[in-house]
Amino acid sequence: MKKTGAALLAAAIFLTGCSGRQNTDGEIQLPIYGAAEEVHYEVAEAQYMDLSETVSTGVTIGYPYAVYLTYPADALVMSYNALKGREVTEGEVLAELDSSDLDYEISNQQTIVNAASGDNLQYQIEQEKLEMLLAEKEKYVIRAPFDGIITQTASVTEGSEVKADALCCAVSEISRTGIYLDGAGASQFRFGQKVKIKVDNDTYDATVVEAPDSAPATAYGASAGRVIFDVGEENMQKILTDSAMAVSAGWATVYVTTERKNVLAVPDSAVKSGGSESFVTLVDGTERYKLKVTTGVSLGGYTEILNGISAGDIVLARGSGNYA
């Protein structure tokens, strides 16, 4: 059924993609069945072109390699000394939980150990149990794992009740500043991908060094994963030195450009969807033909056509066009 009208080809004005040629629409008149007058439609020619599109996403300047500290058990908070942005030293107490129940168990176990002192084997068994309880109690005091800075905290005060595995705080080495993205937007990136990072008015080449497709999330509770962008040590130092306000605000922008070279494409408005299938309306003179097509990517206002029509075919680009 697919036809190409020579007269229509002469009337249609070529449309191009992102290859630098001018993008214009042709217009034709087609009869609407049952209507008294002709109706104007814009048309486009399916042709090979280069497609390109750049999208931007806000990202964070901060500490992507922070260590996330969690609570060991359901408990009452006795003290909470974590404050976002505060520098800490290794071993410093950041939070302490009520261990009264555990203290009671330890006291009982100590009594059992003392009673077993005459039996060497039993004494060793009970002593090991005691040491396990003491190690568990030590977890109720949450300490800074190294010298660093607190990058994230929870809404907790003295007297709050917390749950096991809930976030206490996050601590990072100060020197491990980086650029990263958490959340649903992470799924658009892949390991090794090349991107552009803009901080203030400067743009840097960057590479994705961690993405959901290559490594588990490092961010606490980030179900969609985390993306980390590497701009190089020299550029990172330049950002820290020259863009202090942007670093303080924690904001940067990543630009991703997607390109497809020499693909058959039509304007997005020429493609109609019905369920899981896509269609275009082919035009030949005053005749119209609804054809199923297989589509690829959509970039810069154009949709790649994998099969169903050929270069030079003329399709309705706007207006109605979904004909049963």
Side-chain angles (χ1 to χ4, degrees), residues 215-233:
T218 55
Y220 179 83
S223 59
R226 164 170 285 185
V227 179
I228 299 178
F229 306 95
D230 181 17
V231 295
E233 185 175 347

Side-chain angles (χ1 to χ4, degrees), residues 17-324:
C18 301
S19 57
R21 292 172 290 181
Q22 185 179 7
N23 296 336
T24 56
D25 292 335
E27 188 178 84
I28 62 171
Q29 292 181 330
L30 292 176
I32 292 279
Y33 303 118
E37 297 180 356
E38 292 181 326
V39 179
H40 291 262
Y41 290 96
E42 294 181 2
V43 296
E45 179 185 5
Q47 59 183 283
Y48 285 93
M49 60 184 70
D50 295 341
L51 304 183
S52 178
E53 184 172 84
T54 299
V55 296
S56 62
T57 304
V59 292
T60 301
I61 304 175
Y63 300 94
Y65 300 102
V67 173
Y68 291 80
L69 307 177
T70 58
Y71 297 112
D74 295 356
L76 193 69
V77 176
M78 302 300 291
S79 67
Y80 189 79
N81 306 311
L83 179 65
K84 186 176 181 180
R86 184 169 70 84
E87 294 187 20
V88 295
T89 57
E90 181 178 354
E92 182 177 341
V93 176
L94 304 179
E96 188 171 2
L97 303 181
D98 179 20
S99 60
S100 300
D101 292 342
L102 197 54
D103 290 339
Y104 179 76
E105 290 185 51
I106 291 173
S107 178
N108 282 346
Q109 187 60 31
Q110 183 65 66
T111 300
I112 294 172
V113 169
N114 294 339
S117 59
D119 184 334
N120 189 51
L121 178 59
Q122 187 63 32
Y123 175 82
Q124 290 181 357
I125 293 174
E126 300 302 339
Q127 181 64 31
E128 288 180 3
K129 292 180 180 178
L130 177 60
E131 290 174 358
M132 290 176 63
L133 288 171
L134 291 171
E136 185 67 21
K137 175 180 169 63
E138 180 61 28
K139 296 178 183 178
Y140 279 55
V141 179
I142 300 174
R143 303 176 184 273
F146 43 73
D147 294 349
I149 184 171
I150 297 175
T151 63
Q152 187 173 338
T153 58
S155 299
V156 172
T157 59
E158 183 177 329
S160 298
E161 292 184 359
V162 294
K163 297 293 184 180
D165 298 324
L167 175 67
C168 172
C169 63
V171 182
S172 173
E173 296 177 59
I174 297 176
S175 62
R176 301 204 74 185
T177 309
I179 300 175
Y180 65 97
L181 171 67
D182 282 334
S187 61
Q188 67 183 295
F189 297 96
R190 64 187 186 278
F191 179 78
Q193 184 176 0
K194 303 299 183 181
V195 298
K196 299 285 187 181
I197 298 285
K198 186 174 183 180
V199 183
D200 284 340
N201 295 319
D202 295 321
T203 301
Y204 306 88
D205 292 329
T207 303
V208 175
V209 294
E210 182 175 319
D213 69 338
S214 63
T218 55
Y220 179 83
S223 59
R226 164 170 285 185
V227 179
I228 299 178
F229 306 95
D230 181 17
V231 295
E233 185 175 347
E234 184 176 338
N235 283 335
M236 194 68 237
Q237 288 302 316
K238 182 178 184 301
I239 291 171
L240 294 175
T241 302
D242 298 346
S243 303
M245 291 186 64
V247 172
S248 177
W251 286 103
T253 305
V254 59
Y255 292 89
V256 179
T257 299
T258 303
E259 295 181 321
R260 294 279 287 165
K261 298 291 187 180
N262 196 34
V263 298
L264 183 66
V266 298
D268 289 343
S269 59
V271 181
K272 308 298 181 180
S273 298
S276 60
E277 297 181 323
S278 297
F279 303 88
V280 297
T281 300
L282 190 71
V283 178
D284 180 17
T286 59
E287 299 297 323
R288 297 162 293 176
Y289 306 93
K290 180 180 177 181
L291 298 177
K292 186 169 73 171
V293 294
T294 302
T295 60
V297 298
S298 293
L299 298 173
Y302 288 83
T303 298
E304 178 185 12
I305 304 297
L306 301 177
N307 60 60
I309 60 174
S310 304
D313 287 344
I314 302 298
V315 295
L316 288 182
R318 286 192 180 89
S320 187
N322 250 345
Y323 301 100

